[in-house]
Amino acid sequence: MKTVIIGSGNLATHLSMALLRAGIPVCEVFSPTKAHAQELAEKQGARALDSLRDVSADADIVIISVKDDAIESVVAGLEHVNNDAIFIHTAGSVPLSVLSEKRKNAAVLYPLQTFSKTKELDFSIIPCFIEATNQRALGIVKEMAEKISNRVQIADSAVRRKIHLAAVFACNMANHCYYLAEKILEEEGLDFDIMLPIIKETAEKVETLSPRKAQTGPMVRNDITVMNAQKALLSDLLMIRLYELMAESIHKSCTNR
Amino acid sequence: MKTVIIGSGNLATHLSMALLRAGIPVCEVFSPTKAHAQELAEKQGARALDSLRDVSADADIVIISVKDDAIESVVAGLEHVNNDAIFIHTAGSVPLSVLSEKRKNAAVLYPLQTFSKTKELDFSIIPCFIEATNQRALGIVKEMAEKISNRVQIADSAVRRKIHLAAVFACNMANHCYYLAEKILEEEGLDFDIMLPIIKETAEKVETLSPRKAQTGPMVRNDITVMNAQKALLSDLLMIRLYELMAESIHKSCTNR
Protein backbone atom coordinates (compact mmCIF):
# COMPACT_ATOMS: atom_id res chain seq x y z
CA MET A 1 0.00 0.00 0.00
CA LYS A 2 1.40 3.36 -1.05
CA THR A 3 0.66 5.73 1.83
CA VAL A 4 1.02 9.49 1.68
CA ILE A 5 0.66 12.03 4.48
CA ILE A 6 -0.46 15.60 3.91
CA GLY A 7 0.70 17.77 6.80
CA SER A 8 3.74 17.83 9.07
CA GLY A 9 2.34 19.25 12.30
CA ASN A 10 2.15 17.63 15.72
CA LEU A 11 -0.55 15.14 14.87
CA ALA A 12 0.84 14.31 11.41
CA THR A 13 4.25 13.67 12.97
CA HIS A 14 3.05 11.45 15.84
CA LEU A 15 0.61 9.54 13.64
CA SER A 16 3.05 8.86 10.84
CA MET A 17 5.78 7.82 13.27
CA ALA A 18 3.35 5.41 14.98
CA LEU A 19 2.47 4.02 11.54
CA LEU A 20 6.15 3.61 10.72
CA ARG A 21 6.74 1.66 13.93
CA ALA A 22 3.74 -0.49 13.05
CA GLY A 23 5.26 -1.35 9.69
CA ILE A 24 3.30 1.18 7.61
CA PRO A 25 5.86 3.74 6.40
CA VAL A 26 4.58 6.71 4.44
CA CYS A 27 6.39 7.24 1.17
CA GLU A 28 5.53 10.92 0.67
CA VAL A 29 5.20 13.82 3.09
CA PHE A 30 3.61 17.07 1.97
CA SER A 31 3.90 20.44 3.65
CA PRO A 32 3.62 23.86 1.99
CA THR A 33 6.85 24.64 3.85
CA LYS A 34 9.51 22.43 2.27
CA ALA A 35 11.73 22.38 5.36
CA HIS A 36 8.86 21.01 7.45
CA ALA A 37 8.11 18.34 4.87
CA GLN A 38 11.79 17.43 4.77
CA GLU A 39 12.10 17.14 8.53
CA LEU A 40 9.34 14.54 8.78
CA ALA A 41 10.23 12.86 5.46
CA GLU A 42 13.76 12.21 6.71
CA LYS A 43 12.48 10.39 9.78
CA GLN A 44 10.24 8.30 7.52
CA GLY A 45 12.67 7.69 4.70
CA ALA A 46 10.07 9.33 2.47
CA ARG A 47 9.99 11.94 -0.29
CA ALA A 48 9.37 15.53 0.83
CA LEU A 49 6.87 17.50 -1.25
CA ASP A 50 5.82 21.13 -1.12
CA SER A 51 3.39 20.99 -4.03
CA LEU A 52 0.19 18.95 -3.89
CA ARG A 53 0.53 18.29 -7.65
CA ASP A 54 3.61 16.18 -6.89
CA VAL A 55 1.66 13.69 -4.78
CA SER A 56 1.74 10.36 -6.61
CA ALA A 57 -1.39 9.80 -8.67
CA ASP A 58 -1.23 6.08 -7.82
CA ALA A 59 -1.29 6.55 -4.03
CA ASP A 60 -3.43 3.96 -2.21
CA ILE A 61 -3.96 5.88 1.03
CA VAL A 62 -3.86 9.64 1.51
CA ILE A 63 -3.88 10.80 5.13
CA ILE A 64 -4.82 14.46 5.49
CA SER A 65 -3.67 15.84 8.79
CA VAL A 66 -3.85 19.60 8.44
CA LYS A 67 -5.81 22.44 10.05
CA ASP A 68 -9.57 21.87 9.88
CA ASP A 69 -10.30 24.62 7.39
CA ALA A 70 -7.49 23.54 5.05
CA ILE A 71 -8.84 20.02 4.46
CA GLU A 72 -11.22 21.08 1.71
CA SER A 73 -8.58 22.84 -0.37
CA VAL A 74 -6.19 19.90 0.04
CA VAL A 75 -8.82 17.55 -1.39
CA ALA A 76 -9.36 19.98 -4.27
CA GLY A 77 -5.61 20.04 -4.92
CA LEU A 78 -5.43 16.24 -5.13
CA GLU A 79 -7.92 15.69 -7.96
CA HIS A 80 -5.23 13.90 -9.96
CA VAL A 81 -4.98 11.11 -7.40
CA ASN A 82 -6.67 7.91 -8.64
CA ASN A 83 -10.31 7.33 -7.80
CA ASP A 84 -9.68 4.13 -5.83
CA ALA A 85 -7.42 5.84 -3.30
CA ILE A 86 -8.73 6.09 0.25
CA PHE A 87 -8.71 9.61 1.65
CA ILE A 88 -8.53 9.79 5.45
CA HIS A 89 -8.70 12.90 7.62
CA THR A 90 -7.85 13.06 11.31
CA ALA A 91 -9.94 15.98 12.61
CA GLY A 92 -12.40 15.81 15.49
CA SER A 93 -14.85 18.43 14.32
CA VAL A 94 -14.79 17.98 10.54
CA PRO A 95 -17.53 15.75 9.08
CA LEU A 96 -16.70 12.85 6.79
CA SER A 97 -18.71 14.63 4.08
CA VAL A 98 -15.90 17.15 3.50
CA LEU A 99 -14.03 14.23 1.94
CA SER A 100 -16.91 12.15 0.60
CA GLU A 101 -18.30 14.98 -1.49
CA LYS A 102 -15.21 14.65 -3.67
CA ARG A 103 -13.93 11.14 -3.07
CA LYS A 104 -15.57 7.72 -3.40
CA ASN A 105 -13.47 6.18 -0.63
CA ALA A 106 -13.40 8.49 2.37
CA ALA A 107 -12.63 7.78 6.01
CA VAL A 108 -11.76 9.41 9.31
CA LEU A 109 -9.20 8.37 11.92
CA TYR A 110 -9.44 10.72 14.90
CA PRO A 111 -6.94 10.07 17.69
CA LEU A 112 -8.19 11.63 20.93
CA GLN A 113 -5.02 13.15 22.33
CA THR A 114 -3.10 16.43 22.63
CA PHE A 115 0.14 16.27 20.68
CA SER A 116 3.37 18.19 21.12
CA LYS A 117 6.24 17.62 18.77
CA THR A 118 8.77 17.46 21.57
CA LYS A 119 7.03 14.88 23.73
CA GLU A 120 7.02 11.15 23.05
CA LEU A 121 3.68 9.38 23.32
CA ASP A 122 2.46 5.82 23.66
CA PHE A 123 0.06 5.71 20.72
CA SER A 124 -1.28 2.28 21.69
CA ILE A 125 -3.40 3.68 24.55
CA ILE A 126 -4.87 6.57 22.52
CA PRO A 127 -8.59 6.12 21.78
CA CYS A 128 -9.03 6.30 17.99
CA PHE A 129 -12.44 6.99 16.46
CA ILE A 130 -13.04 5.84 12.90
CA GLU A 131 -15.72 5.99 10.24
CA ALA A 132 -15.86 5.54 6.46
CA THR A 133 -18.12 5.86 3.44
CA ASN A 134 -18.03 2.14 2.59
CA GLN A 135 -17.00 -1.25 3.95
CA ARG A 136 -13.73 -1.42 2.02
CA ALA A 137 -12.57 1.97 3.30
CA LEU A 138 -13.77 1.12 6.80
CA GLY A 139 -11.88 -2.18 6.73
CA ILE A 140 -8.66 -0.48 5.69
CA VAL A 141 -8.86 2.41 8.17
CA LYS A 142 -9.81 -0.05 10.93
CA GLU A 143 -6.85 -2.29 10.17
CA MET A 144 -4.55 0.72 10.12
CA ALA A 145 -5.93 2.15 13.37
CA GLU A 146 -5.72 -1.21 15.15
CA LYS A 147 -2.06 -1.54 14.22
CA ILE A 148 -1.23 1.61 16.18
CA SER A 149 -3.88 1.69 18.93
CA ASN A 150 -5.60 -0.84 21.19
CA ARG A 151 -8.62 1.41 21.58
CA VAL A 152 -10.30 1.73 18.20
CA GLN A 153 -14.00 2.57 18.13
CA ILE A 154 -16.43 3.41 15.34
CA ALA A 155 -18.06 6.85 15.75
CA ASP A 156 -19.96 8.85 13.17
CA SER A 157 -19.31 12.53 12.51
CA ALA A 158 -22.01 13.72 14.93
CA VAL A 159 -20.64 11.65 17.82
CA ARG A 160 -17.06 12.52 16.95
CA ARG A 161 -17.68 16.26 17.19
CA LYS A 162 -19.20 15.73 20.64
CA ILE A 163 -16.05 13.85 21.64
CA HIS A 164 -13.95 16.71 20.32
CA LEU A 165 -16.07 19.18 22.28
CA ALA A 166 -15.58 17.13 25.44
CA ALA A 167 -11.84 17.18 24.77
CA VAL A 168 -11.85 20.96 24.53
CA PHE A 169 -13.23 21.00 28.08
CA ALA A 170 -11.03 18.24 29.54
CA CYS A 171 -7.83 19.30 27.81
CA ASN A 172 -7.78 22.89 26.54
CA MET A 173 -9.86 24.41 29.32
CA ALA A 174 -8.16 22.36 32.04
CA ASN A 175 -4.80 23.48 30.68
CA HIS A 176 -6.01 27.06 30.78
CA CYS A 177 -6.81 26.62 34.47
CA TYR A 178 -3.17 25.59 34.93
CA TYR A 179 -2.14 28.72 33.06
CA LEU A 180 -4.23 30.97 35.29
CA ALA A 181 -2.71 29.29 38.36
CA GLU A 182 0.74 29.97 36.93
CA LYS A 183 -0.20 33.63 36.46
CA ILE A 184 -1.27 33.98 40.11
CA LEU A 185 1.95 32.36 41.33
CA GLU A 186 4.14 34.46 39.04
CA GLU A 187 2.79 37.61 40.67
CA GLU A 188 4.11 36.29 44.00
CA GLY A 189 7.42 35.22 42.49
CA LEU A 190 6.50 31.58 43.11
CA ASP A 191 7.50 28.72 40.86
CA PHE A 192 4.75 26.91 38.90
CA ASP A 193 6.49 23.65 39.93
CA ILE A 194 4.75 23.72 43.30
CA MET A 195 1.46 23.01 41.46
CA LEU A 196 2.66 19.84 39.74
CA PRO A 197 1.78 17.32 42.48
CA ILE A 198 -1.78 18.65 42.86
CA ILE A 199 -2.25 18.77 39.06
CA LYS A 200 -1.04 15.17 38.75
CA GLU A 201 -3.23 13.99 41.62
CA THR A 202 -6.29 15.81 40.23
CA ALA A 203 -5.80 14.05 36.89
CA GLU A 204 -5.16 10.65 38.52
CA LYS A 205 -8.16 10.88 40.83
CA VAL A 206 -10.64 10.70 37.97
CA GLU A 207 -9.19 7.37 36.89
CA THR A 208 -11.05 5.80 39.80
CA LEU A 209 -13.51 8.46 40.95
CA SER A 210 -16.03 10.36 38.82
CA PRO A 211 -15.13 14.07 38.53
CA ARG A 212 -18.32 14.93 40.37
CA LYS A 213 -17.27 12.86 43.37
CA ALA A 214 -13.64 13.92 43.14
CA GLN A 215 -14.47 17.61 43.50
CA THR A 216 -13.17 19.44 46.60
CA GLY A 217 -12.57 23.03 47.65
CA PRO A 218 -14.52 26.15 48.61
CA MET A 219 -16.79 26.08 45.56
CA VAL A 220 -18.30 22.67 46.35
CA ARG A 221 -18.89 23.73 49.93
CA ASN A 222 -20.27 27.04 48.63
CA ASP A 223 -18.00 28.67 51.19
CA ILE A 224 -18.92 32.31 50.49
CA THR A 225 -16.37 33.75 52.95
CA VAL A 226 -13.40 32.04 51.28
CA MET A 227 -14.74 32.72 47.78
CA ASN A 228 -15.23 36.44 48.41
CA ALA A 229 -11.76 36.67 49.91
CA GLN A 230 -10.32 34.85 46.88
CA LYS A 231 -12.13 37.05 44.38
CA ALA A 232 -10.74 40.09 46.17
CA LEU A 233 -7.23 38.82 45.37
CA LEU A 234 -7.89 38.88 41.64
CA SER A 235 -7.35 42.07 39.67
CA ASP A 236 -7.95 40.75 36.16
CA LEU A 237 -11.64 41.24 35.29
CA LEU A 238 -11.71 38.19 33.01
CA MET A 239 -10.35 36.02 35.82
CA ILE A 240 -12.95 37.36 38.24
CA ARG A 241 -15.74 36.54 35.79
CA LEU A 242 -14.29 33.08 35.23
CA TYR A 243 -14.01 32.52 38.97
CA GLU A 244 -17.66 33.48 39.48
CA LEU A 245 -18.93 31.35 36.62
CA MET A 246 -16.87 28.36 37.75
CA ALA A 247 -18.15 28.78 41.31
CA GLU A 248 -21.72 28.81 40.05
CA SER A 249 -21.21 25.82 37.78
CA ILE A 250 -19.30 23.74 40.37
CA HIS A 251 -21.84 24.43 43.06
CA LYS A 252 -24.67 23.48 40.72
CA SER A 253 -22.95 20.25 39.68
CA CYS A 254 -22.31 19.15 43.23
CA THR A 255 -25.60 19.96 44.94
CA ASN A 256 -27.08 16.62 43.91
CA ARG A 257 -24.06 14.36 44.30
CA MET B 1 5.97 15.35 72.36
CA LYS B 2 2.28 14.78 73.02
CA THR B 3 0.52 15.42 69.71
CA VAL B 4 -3.22 15.79 69.25
CA ILE B 5 -5.22 16.11 66.03
CA ILE B 6 -8.52 17.94 65.83
CA GLY B 7 -10.46 16.70 62.81
CA SER B 8 -10.83 13.40 61.01
CA GLY B 9 -11.48 14.47 57.41
CA ASN B 10 -9.39 13.73 54.33
CA LEU B 11 -6.52 16.06 55.19
CA ALA B 12 -6.49 15.14 58.91
CA THR B 13 -6.38 11.46 57.97
CA HIS B 14 -3.58 11.72 55.40
CA LEU B 15 -1.52 14.11 57.52
CA SER B 16 -1.75 12.10 60.71
CA MET B 17 -0.98 8.85 58.90
CA ALA B 18 2.08 10.47 57.30
CA LEU B 19 3.15 11.67 60.77
CA LEU B 20 2.66 8.16 62.17
CA ARG B 21 4.86 6.68 59.44
CA ALA B 22 7.47 9.36 60.24
CA GLY B 23 7.50 8.31 63.90
CA ILE B 24 5.18 11.03 65.20
CA PRO B 25 2.00 9.24 66.30
CA VAL B 26 -0.89 11.35 67.54
CA CYS B 27 -2.23 10.26 70.90
CA GLU B 28 -5.68 11.84 70.64
CA VAL B 29 -8.09 12.29 67.72
CA PHE B 30 -11.07 14.61 68.05
CA SER B 31 -14.17 14.66 65.86
CA PRO B 32 -17.64 15.84 66.86
CA THR B 33 -18.82 12.53 65.36
CA LYS B 34 -17.46 9.83 67.67
CA ALA B 35 -17.42 7.12 64.98
CA HIS B 36 -15.21 9.31 62.77
CA ALA B 37 -12.83 9.99 65.63
CA GLN B 38 -12.70 6.26 66.40
CA GLU B 39 -11.98 5.26 62.83
CA LEU B 40 -8.86 7.41 62.63
CA ALA B 41 -7.87 6.83 66.28
CA GLU B 42 -7.80 3.08 65.69
CA LYS B 43 -5.35 3.45 62.82
CA GLN B 44 -3.18 5.62 65.05
CA GLY B 45 -3.47 3.65 68.28
CA ALA B 46 -4.83 6.86 69.78
CA ARG B 47 -7.73 7.89 72.02
CA ALA B 48 -10.92 8.96 70.23
CA LEU B 49 -12.60 12.09 71.58
CA ASP B 50 -15.88 13.75 70.68
CA SER B 51 -15.65 16.57 73.20
CA LEU B 52 -12.99 19.28 72.96
CA ARG B 53 -12.95 19.48 76.75
CA ASP B 54 -11.43 15.99 76.84
CA VAL B 55 -8.33 17.03 74.92
CA SER B 56 -5.36 16.67 77.29
CA ALA B 57 -4.46 19.95 78.96
CA ASP B 58 -0.78 18.98 78.79
CA ALA B 59 -0.67 18.46 75.01
CA ASP B 60 2.51 19.74 73.35
CA ILE B 61 1.22 20.05 69.80
CA VAL B 62 -2.38 20.57 68.71
CA ILE B 63 -2.99 20.17 64.97
CA ILE B 64 -6.29 21.69 63.87
CA SER B 65 -7.40 20.25 60.56
CA VAL B 66 -11.06 21.19 60.24
CA LYS B 67 -13.16 23.33 57.91
CA ASP B 68 -11.86 26.89 57.63
CA ASP B 69 -14.71 28.52 59.49
CA ALA B 70 -14.58 26.00 62.36
CA ILE B 71 -10.97 26.78 63.35
CA GLU B 72 -11.88 29.75 65.51
CA SER B 73 -14.43 27.87 67.60
CA VAL B 74 -12.01 24.94 68.04
CA VAL B 75 -9.40 27.31 69.46
CA ALA B 76 -12.04 28.78 71.78
CA GLY B 77 -12.96 25.28 72.95
CA LEU B 78 -9.35 24.44 73.83
CA GLU B 79 -8.68 27.25 76.32
CA HIS B 80 -7.81 24.66 78.97
CA VAL B 81 -4.78 23.46 76.98
CA ASN B 82 -1.52 24.73 78.51
CA ASN B 83 -0.09 28.00 77.26
CA ASP B 84 3.16 26.47 75.98
CA ALA B 85 1.41 24.15 73.54
CA ILE B 86 1.91 24.85 69.85
CA PHE B 87 -1.31 25.23 67.88
CA ILE B 88 -1.00 24.43 64.17
CA HIS B 89 -3.64 24.79 61.52
CA THR B 90 -3.49 23.35 58.00
CA ALA B 91 -5.68 25.67 55.93
CA GLY B 92 -4.62 27.53 52.80
CA SER B 93 -6.80 30.60 53.15
CA VAL B 94 -6.92 31.11 56.93
CA PRO B 95 -4.40 33.60 58.32
CA LEU B 96 -2.07 32.67 61.18
CA SER B 97 -3.75 35.41 63.23
CA VAL B 98 -6.84 33.25 63.78
CA LEU B 99 -4.62 31.17 66.06
CA SER B 100 -2.19 33.80 67.31
CA GLU B 101 -4.93 36.04 68.66
CA LYS B 102 -5.57 33.38 71.29
CA ARG B 103 -2.34 31.38 71.49
CA LYS B 104 1.26 32.40 72.15
CA ASN B 105 2.69 29.61 70.00
CA ALA B 106 0.87 29.43 66.70
CA ALA B 107 1.89 27.93 63.37
CA VAL B 108 0.58 26.80 60.01
CA LEU B 109 1.43 23.70 58.02
CA TYR B 110 -0.39 23.84 54.66
CA PRO B 111 0.08 20.81 52.39
CA LEU B 112 -0.71 21.77 48.80
CA GLN B 113 -2.67 18.74 47.64
CA THR B 114 -6.18 17.44 47.06
CA PHE B 115 -6.97 14.60 49.43
CA SER B 116 -9.45 11.74 49.11
CA LYS B 117 -9.81 9.25 51.91
CA THR B 118 -9.81 6.29 49.57
CA LYS B 119 -6.65 7.13 47.65
CA GLU B 120 -3.13 6.57 48.95
CA LEU B 121 -0.68 9.45 48.52
CA ASP B 122 3.07 9.92 48.61
CA PHE B 123 3.27 12.72 51.17
CA SER B 124 7.01 13.22 50.62
CA ILE B 125 6.48 15.05 47.31
CA ILE B 126 3.72 17.34 48.58
CA PRO B 127 4.83 20.98 48.86
CA CYS B 128 4.22 22.09 52.46
CA PHE B 129 4.05 25.79 53.35
CA ILE B 130 4.80 26.77 56.94
CA GLU B 131 4.85 29.87 59.12
CA ALA B 132 4.80 30.56 62.86
CA THR B 133 4.54 33.33 65.43
CA ASN B 134 7.99 32.71 66.91
CA GLN B 135 11.25 30.87 66.33
CA ARG B 136 10.47 28.00 68.68
CA ALA B 137 7.13 27.26 67.05
CA LEU B 138 8.68 27.67 63.58
CA GLY B 139 11.47 25.25 64.48
CA ILE B 140 9.02 22.63 65.65
CA VAL B 141 6.60 22.92 62.73
CA LYS B 142 9.56 22.90 60.32
CA GLU B 143 11.01 19.76 61.85
CA MET B 144 7.62 18.09 61.72
CA ALA B 145 6.97 19.13 58.11
CA GLU B 146 10.41 18.01 56.97
CA LYS B 147 9.85 14.57 58.45
CA ILE B 148 6.90 14.01 56.11
CA SER B 149 7.76 16.10 53.04
CA ASN B 150 10.87 16.93 51.02
CA ARG B 151 9.37 20.19 49.83
CA VAL B 152 8.95 22.45 52.85
CA GLN B 153 8.90 26.20 52.26
CA ILE B 154 8.19 29.19 54.49
CA ALA B 155 5.27 31.32 53.27
CA ASP B 156 3.36 33.99 55.17
CA SER B 157 -0.43 34.14 55.28
CA ALA B 158 -0.68 36.56 52.34
CA VAL B 159 1.43 34.36 50.08
CA ARG B 160 -0.29 31.20 51.28
CA ARG B 161 -3.72 32.43 50.33
CA LYS B 162 -2.44 33.21 46.83
CA ILE B 163 -1.13 29.65 46.62
CA HIS B 164 -4.53 28.36 47.71
CA LEU B 165 -6.20 30.55 45.09
CA ALA B 166 -3.88 29.15 42.42
CA ALA B 167 -4.80 25.64 43.59
CA VAL B 168 -8.50 26.39 43.18
CA PHE B 169 -7.76 27.12 39.52
CA ALA B 170 -5.34 24.24 38.88
CA CYS B 171 -7.28 21.63 40.83
CA ASN B 172 -10.94 22.46 41.47
CA MET B 173 -11.59 24.28 38.21
CA ALA B 174 -9.58 21.78 36.14
CA ASN B 175 -11.56 18.96 37.75
CA HIS B 176 -14.76 20.79 36.86
CA CYS B 177 -13.65 20.87 33.23
CA TYR B 178 -13.34 17.06 33.47
CA TYR B 179 -16.84 16.97 34.89
CA LEU B 180 -18.28 19.01 32.03
CA ALA B 181 -16.54 16.72 29.53
CA GLU B 182 -18.12 13.74 31.30
CA LYS B 183 -21.52 15.40 31.00
CA ILE B 184 -21.12 15.89 27.25
CA LEU B 185 -20.06 12.26 26.77
CA GLU B 186 -22.88 10.93 28.94
CA GLU B 187 -25.40 12.53 26.61
CA GLU B 188 -23.93 10.43 23.79
CA GLY B 189 -23.80 7.28 25.90
CA LEU B 190 -20.00 7.41 25.79
CA ASP B 191 -17.76 6.30 28.62
CA PHE B 192 -15.71 8.97 30.45
CA ASP B 193 -12.77 6.52 30.27
CA ILE B 194 -12.00 7.64 26.72
CA MET B 195 -10.90 11.00 28.18
CA LEU B 196 -8.31 9.55 30.57
CA PRO B 197 -5.31 9.47 28.19
CA ILE B 198 -5.80 13.10 27.13
CA ILE B 199 -6.35 14.21 30.74
CA LYS B 200 -3.17 12.44 31.82
CA GLU B 201 -1.16 13.85 28.92
CA THR B 202 -2.47 17.39 29.54
CA ALA B 203 -1.35 17.15 33.16
CA GLU B 204 2.04 15.64 32.25
CA LYS B 205 2.77 18.17 29.53
CA VAL B 206 3.06 21.04 32.01
CA GLU B 207 5.84 19.20 33.84
CA THR B 208 8.15 20.22 31.02
CA LEU B 209 6.24 22.89 29.08
CA SER B 210 4.62 26.03 30.49
CA PRO B 211 0.80 25.89 30.25
CA ARG B 212 0.89 28.84 27.86
CA LYS B 213 3.11 26.93 25.44
CA ALA B 214 1.30 23.64 26.00
CA GLN B 215 -2.05 25.05 24.90
CA THR B 216 -3.65 23.62 21.74
CA GLY B 217 -7.11 23.52 20.17
CA PRO B 218 -9.59 25.81 18.43
CA MET B 219 -9.47 28.52 21.12
CA VAL B 220 -5.75 29.22 20.70
CA ARG B 221 -6.16 29.39 16.95
CA ASN B 222 -9.27 31.56 17.47
CA ASP B 223 -10.96 29.21 15.01
CA ILE B 224 -14.38 30.89 14.93
CA THR B 225 -15.93 28.27 12.65
CA VAL B 226 -15.14 25.37 14.98
CA MET B 227 -16.02 27.38 18.08
CA ASN B 228 -19.42 28.44 16.76
CA ALA B 229 -20.18 24.86 15.75
CA GLN B 230 -19.12 23.65 19.22
CA LYS B 231 -21.24 26.23 21.03
CA ALA B 232 -24.22 25.14 18.94
CA LEU B 233 -23.82 21.64 20.44
CA LEU B 234 -24.28 22.94 23.98
CA SER B 235 -27.76 23.34 25.41
CA ASP B 236 -26.86 24.27 28.99
CA LEU B 237 -26.68 28.07 29.24
CA LEU B 238 -24.03 27.97 31.98
CA MET B 239 -21.82 25.78 29.79
CA ILE B 240 -22.23 28.12 26.85
CA ARG B 241 -21.20 31.10 28.98
CA LEU B 242 -18.24 29.15 30.32
CA TYR B 243 -17.22 28.13 26.81
CA GLU B 244 -17.32 31.77 25.63
CA LEU B 245 -15.40 33.09 28.60
CA MET B 246 -12.76 30.35 28.31
CA ALA B 247 -12.41 31.04 24.59
CA GLU B 248 -11.86 34.73 25.31
CA SER B 249 -9.39 34.06 28.11
CA ILE B 250 -7.42 31.40 26.22
CA HIS B 251 -7.16 33.53 23.12
CA LYS B 252 -6.00 36.50 25.17
CA SER B 253 -3.38 34.41 26.99
CA CYS B 254 -1.95 32.99 23.78
CA THR B 255 -1.81 36.02 21.52
CA ASN B 256 1.59 37.01 22.86
CA ARG B 257 3.19 33.62 23.33
Side-chain angles (χ1 to χ4, degrees):
Chain A
M1 290 282 222
K2 194 166 186 173
T3 306
V4 171
I5 193 152
I6 310 298
S8 62
N10 296 344
L11 173 48
T13 300
H14 280 280
L15 176 60
S16 60
M17 294 312 291
L19 288 171
L20 179 65
R21 286 191 296 270
I24 312 174
V26 302
C27 56
E28 292 170 358
V29 176
F30 165 85
S31 165
T33 312
K34 187 73 178 244
H36 294 169
Q38 272 166 339
E39 196 187 335
L40 180 54
E42 254 172 48
K43 291 181 194 162
Q44 290 276 339
R47 279 173 65 211
L49 311 176
D50 63 354
S51 165
L52 286 173
R53 280 166 306 174
D54 294 338
V55 170
S56 294
D58 64 347
D60 297 301
I61 296 175
V62 178
I63 302 169
I64 304 174
S65 189
V66 298
K67 284 186 182 144
D68 292 8
D69 52 10
I71 297 175
E72 214 170 328
S73 65
V74 164
V75 176
L78 293 174
E79 275 188 341
H80 64 284
V81 174
N82 75 93
N83 202 34
D84 283 332
I86 297 170
F87 275 51
I88 303 173
H89 83 60
T90 59
S93 282
V94 178
L96 179 62
S97 59
V98 168
L99 300 181
S100 62
E101 278 162 7
K102 294 281 177 61
R103 306 295 315 190
K104 185 180 68 177
N105 300 313
V108 177
L109 193 175
Y110 169 54
L112 179 55
Q113 188 50 286
T114 170
F115 298 94
S116 329
K117 259 190 192 160
T118 51
K119 198 165 174 306
E120 283 301 312
L121 271 176
D122 177 6
F123 219 101
S124 69
I125 58 156
I126 299 176
C128 288
F129 298 91
I130 57 167
E131 69 169 322
T133 46
N134 57 54
Q135 284 305 316
R136 183 178 156 252
L138 187 65
I140 287 175
V141 76
K142 186 164 183 277
E143 196 186 326
M144 177 183 267
E146 285 177 346
K147 276 195 177 154
I148 55 175
S149 164
N150 300 322
R151 300 180 67 176
V152 178
Q153 241 176 282
I154 293 174
D156 66 23
S157 296
V159 169
R160 190 175 63 254
R161 63 182 190 170
K162 284 285 185 91
I163 295 169
H164 185 224
L165 175 63
V168 166
F169 279 86
C171 166
N172 304 152
M173 293 190 199
N175 181 76
H176 191 59
C177 296
Y178 305 160
Y179 164 77
L180 295 172
E182 184 184 36
K183 227 181 120 182
I184 293 165
L185 295 174
E186 263 173 12
E187 285 170 14
E188 295 297 319
L190 289 161
D191 209 358
F192 178 66
D193 274 13
I194 62 169
M195 282 292 140
L196 294 177
I198 199 170
I199 284 174
K200 188 161 186 266
E201 178 66 15
T202 304
E204 282 179 6
K205 255 190 184 182
V206 293
E207 290 173 12
T208 51
L209 218 57
S210 81
R212 185 191 280 110
K213 287 196 176 148
Q215 193 57 283
T216 58
M219 291 166 171
V220 179
R221 300 189 300 267
N222 201 25
D223 187 334
I224 306 285
T225 315
V226 170
M227 290 193 290
N228 282 340
Q230 292 203 323
K231 271 197 288 179
L233 297 176
L234 295 168
S235 52
D236 182 313
L237 190 63
L238 207 49
M239 282 175 82
I240 295 173
R241 282 166 59 206
L242 206 52
Y243 187 98
E244 287 173 343
L245 205 51
M246 276 284 182
E248 189 182 343
S249 187
I250 289 175
H251 185 58
K252 187 184 153 198
S253 71
C254 291
T255 40
N256 297 318
R257 71 172 175 174
Chain B
M1 290 283 223
K2 193 166 187 172
T3 305
V4 171
I5 192 152
I6 310 299
S8 60
N10 296 344
L11 173 48
T13 300
H14 280 280
L15 177 60
S16 61
M17 294 312 290
L19 287 171
L20 179 64
R21 286 191 295 272
I24 311 174
V26 302
C27 56
E28 290 169 359
V29 176
F30 165 85
S31 165
T33 311
K34 189 72 177 247
H36 294 170
Q38 272 166 340
E39 194 186 337
L40 180 54
E42 255 171 50
K43 291 181 194 161
Q44 290 277 339
R47 278 174 64 209
L49 311 175
D50 63 355
S51 164
L52 285 173
R53 280 167 304 173
D54 294 337
V55 169
S56 294
D58 64 347
D60 298 301
I61 297 175
V62 178
I63 302 170
I64 303 174
S65 188
V66 298
K67 284 186 182 142
D68 292 8
D69 52 11
I71 298 175
E72 215 170 326
S73 65
V74 165
V75 177
L78 293 174
E79 275 189 340
H80 65 282
V81 175
N82 75 93
N83 202 33
D84 283 332
I86 297 171
F87 275 52
I88 303 172
H89 83 63
T90 59
S93 282
V94 178
L96 179 62
S97 59
V98 168
L99 300 181
S100 63
E101 279 163 5
K102 294 281 175 63
R103 307 294 317 190
K104 186 179 67 178
N105 300 312
V108 176
L109 193 175
Y110 170 54
L112 178 54
Q113 188 51 283
T114 170
F115 297 94
S116 328
K117 258 189 194 161
T118 49
K119 197 165 174 304
E120 283 300 311
L121 271 176
D122 178 5
F123 219 100
S124 69
I125 59 156
I126 300 176
C128 288
F129 298 91
I130 57 167
E131 70 169 322
T133 46
N134 57 54
Q135 283 306 315
R136 184 179 154 252
L138 186 64
I140 287 174
V141 76
K142 186 164 182 276
E143 197 185 326
M144 175 183 268
E146 285 177 345
K147 277 195 177 153
I148 54 175
S149 165
N150 300 322
R151 300 181 67 176
V152 178
Q153 240 176 284
I154 293 174
D156 66 24
S157 296
V159 169
R160 191 176 62 254
R161 63 182 190 170
K162 284 284 186 91
I163 295 169
H164 184 224
L165 175 63
V168 166
F169 279 85
C171 167
N172 304 151
M173 293 190 198
N175 181 76
H176 191 59
C177 296
Y178 305 160
Y179 163 77
L180 295 172
E182 185 184 36
K183 226 180 122 183
I184 293 164
L185 296 174
E186 264 173 11
E187 286 169 13
E188 295 296 320
L190 290 161
D191 208 0
F192 179 66
D193 274 12
I194 63 169
M195 282 294 139
L196 294 177
I198 199 170
I199 284 175
K200 188 162 186 263
E201 178 65 13
T202 305
E204 281 179 7
K205 254 191 185 181
V206 294
E207 289 173 13
T208 52
L209 218 58
S210 82
R212 185 191 279 107
K213 287 196 177 148
Q215 192 58 284
T216 58
M219 291 167 171
V220 179
R221 300 189 300 266
N222 202 25
D223 187 333
I224 306 285
T225 314
V226 170
M227 289 193 292
N228 282 340
Q230 292 204 322
K231 270 197 288 178
L233 298 176
L234 296 168
S235 52
D236 182 314
L237 190 64
L238 207 49
M239 282 175 83
I240 296 172
R241 282 166 60 206
L242 206 51
Y243 187 98
E244 287 174 344
L245 205 51
M246 275 285 181
E248 188 182 344
S249 187
I250 289 175
H251 185 59
K252 187 183 155 199
S253 71
C254 291
T255 40
N256 297 317
R257 68 173 176 171

